[in-house]
């Protein structure tokens, strides 16, 4: 059975917008159907500050893949695109995180769902709230819109980029 899965994508190296587009395109050939894509937001680095600003977006998908299998697929896309995580929370060509996998709660050394810091990250919540404001966090029992309103993160998240010509906002 397919379940709604929400992903966060970020890039701060190379052609950031192209990196996001390429990663989203790669999802389709990996058994992940893209349902909706947020606009793209420019965001300041958090935690590791000495790096370029990011472009971030959120994607609603459907997949039959289990969360661990999806994680392997996403890591494969990152590797295929040439992304290397040399510094924790540092610069990267592409980073794809699973935020929510249906209403599952998973806590293993390799994978935590819901993403354990999503409620503390404005760069995650702004794009996610755009496409899924009423989706409930399965542990905190608050909507994404409520999490955004309550987040202590005051980092800069600059307006959304306009969709590409011929592309409708939110729909794929």
């Amino acid at each position: 059975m397919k379940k709604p899965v929400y992903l966060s994508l970020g890039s701060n190296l190379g052609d950031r917008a192209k990196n996001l587009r390429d990663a989203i395109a790669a999802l389709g050939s990996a058994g992940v159907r893209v349902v909706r894509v947020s606009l793209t937001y420019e965001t300041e680095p958090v935690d590791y500050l000495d790096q370029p600003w990011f472009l971030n977006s959120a994607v609603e998908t459907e997949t039959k893949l289990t969360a661990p299998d999806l994680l392997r697929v996403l890591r494969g896309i990152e590797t295929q695109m040439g992304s290397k995580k040399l510094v924790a929370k540092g610069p990267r060509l592409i980073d794809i995180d699973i935020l929510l996998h249906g209403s599952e709660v998973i806590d293993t050394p390799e994978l935590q769902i819901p993403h354990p810091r999503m409620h503390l990250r404005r760069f995650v919540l702004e794009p996610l709230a755009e496409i899924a404001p009423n989706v409930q966090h399965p542990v905190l029992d608050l909507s994404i819109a409520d999490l955004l309103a309550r987040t202590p993160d005051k980092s800069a998240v600059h307006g959304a980029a306009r969709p590409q010509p011929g592309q409708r906002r939110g729909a794929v």
Side-chain angles (χ1 to χ4, degrees):
M1 181 171 136
K2 291 184 179 183
K3 27 177 106 170
V5 175
Y6 294 91
L7 307 175
S8 175
L9 289 83
S11 175
N12 73 340
L13 295 176
D15 185 338
R16 301 173 301 163
K18 183 179 183 313
N19 295 340
L20 294 179
R21 286 191 307 270
D22 289 351
I24 292 166
L27 293 171
S29 59
V32 180
R33 186 173 85 82
V34 175
V35 177
R36 293 195 312 168
V37 178
S38 76
L39 297 177
T40 302
Y41 295 79
E42 187 162 34
T43 64
E44 75 176 305
V46 176
D47 295 327
Y48 184 79
L49 304 180
D50 188 22
Q51 62 180 322
W53 282 45
F54 283 82
L55 286 186
N56 290 96
S57 66
V59 180
E60 177 185 349
T61 68
E62 288 181 347
T63 186
K64 292 181 181 177
L65 295 171
T66 65
D69 287 343
L70 177 59
L71 180 64
R72 280 188 281 285
V73 163
L74 299 179
R75 294 301 166 254
I77 291 170
E78 291 174 345
T79 300
Q80 186 176 26
M81 289 182 63
S83 192
K84 296 175 176 64
K85 296 178 183 178
L86 303 175
V87 176
K89 300 179 181 156
R92 55 208 50 206
L93 196 71
I94 191 71
D95 185 44
I96 312 170
D97 290 325
I98 304 170
L99 302 176
L100 299 167
H101 195 277
S103 58
E104 285 187 63
V105 176
I106 300 172
D107 189 5
T108 68
E110 300 80 34
L111 181 61
Q112 295 83 44
I113 296 178
H115 191 285
R117 290 174 304 284
M118 67 183 277
H119 64 290
L120 303 172
R121 300 288 192 244
R122 183 169 297 281
F123 67 85
V124 169
L125 293 171
E126 288 270 357
L128 185 58
E130 177 194 327
I131 62 170
N134 299 318
V135 168
Q136 292 290 118
H137 188 289
V139 174
L140 301 175
D141 201 31
L142 292 168
S143 71
I144 300 305
D146 287 338
L147 291 175
L148 176 58
R150 295 173 183 213
T151 187
D153 180 4
K154 302 301 179 207
S155 63
V157 174
H158 291 298
R162 300 232 180 266
Q164 297 298 314
Q167 187 181 36
R168 288 185 347 199
R169 179 178 174 204
V172 175

